[in-house]
Amino acid sequence: MKKLILLIVIAITTSGCSNSDDPFEQYPQTHDITFDVSSSESRQSSIDFQILGGDIEKEFHSFSDDHLPLSRIYRNQKVNYQTGLLITYRDVSNVQVGVDFEPYTVTLTIRVDSEIVATNEFIVDESGLVDYVEYKFL
């Protein structure tokens, strides 16, 4: 009886220590990564896309008053555990003194393969507003 109980305890302990739950075993992975920025109006803005982590460091920057909507696809990217994806949006509208700022809406979307993994829709109600969306592979 003692041997049976010992065998059961060993079996439970061994199965509890399985490495199958280790997130590192699932990486690296290969994915298509898409960054999208859309807006209800085209205003002067600064947009940054970043993929950072492990062996990958990709950055894209755009500054314009007519670059929206903006999309960038990175195909077959090899990502490691905790690789981060980030879109940063900065409004840099020139507003003249005495003129009211006209609010507009911006949507930031990150897709991994065809699945939306992070999105942020916000109202830009003042010049200089900064907002972002991020995703991390876990």
Side-chain angles (χ1 to χ4, degrees), residues 70-87:
L70 181 63
S71 184
R72 189 148 179 106
I73 300 171
Y74 296 89
R75 298 205 184 277
N76 298 317
Q77 297 301 302
K78 185 177 172 182
V79 296
N80 289 313
Y81 182 71
Q82 292 194 338
T83 294
L85 310 178
L86 176 68
I87 302 173

Side-chain angles (χ1 to χ4, degrees), residues 12-54:
I12 291 172
T13 304
T14 305
S15 67
C17 295
S18 170
N19 289 335
S20 63
D21 293 335
D22 186 1
F24 294 105
E25 285 186 7
Q26 299 173 17
Y27 292 91
Q29 299 174 351
T30 303
H31 296 285
D32 293 336
I33 297 168
T34 305
F35 296 112
D36 290 312
V37 179
S38 61
S39 176
S40 60
E41 289 186 30
S42 193
R43 301 276 184 94
Q44 191 166 39
S45 58
S46 173
I47 299 170
D48 292 300
F49 300 148
Q50 295 179 318
I51 305 172
L52 300 171

Side-chain angles (χ1 to χ4, degrees), residues 100-136:
D100 290 336
F101 186 88
E102 292 293 325
Y104 63 102
T105 304
V106 174
T107 304
L108 312 176
T109 305
I110 299 173
R111 288 183 178 82
V112 173
D113 299 322
S114 60
E115 179 184 349
I116 294 174
V117 295
T119 189
N120 181 14
E121 182 174 279
F122 55 94
I123 296 173
V124 179
D125 56 3
E126 64 180 339
S127 180
L129 185 94
V130 177
D131 214 328
Y132 67 95
V133 66
E134 64 184 332
Y135 175 77
K136 194 170 274 197

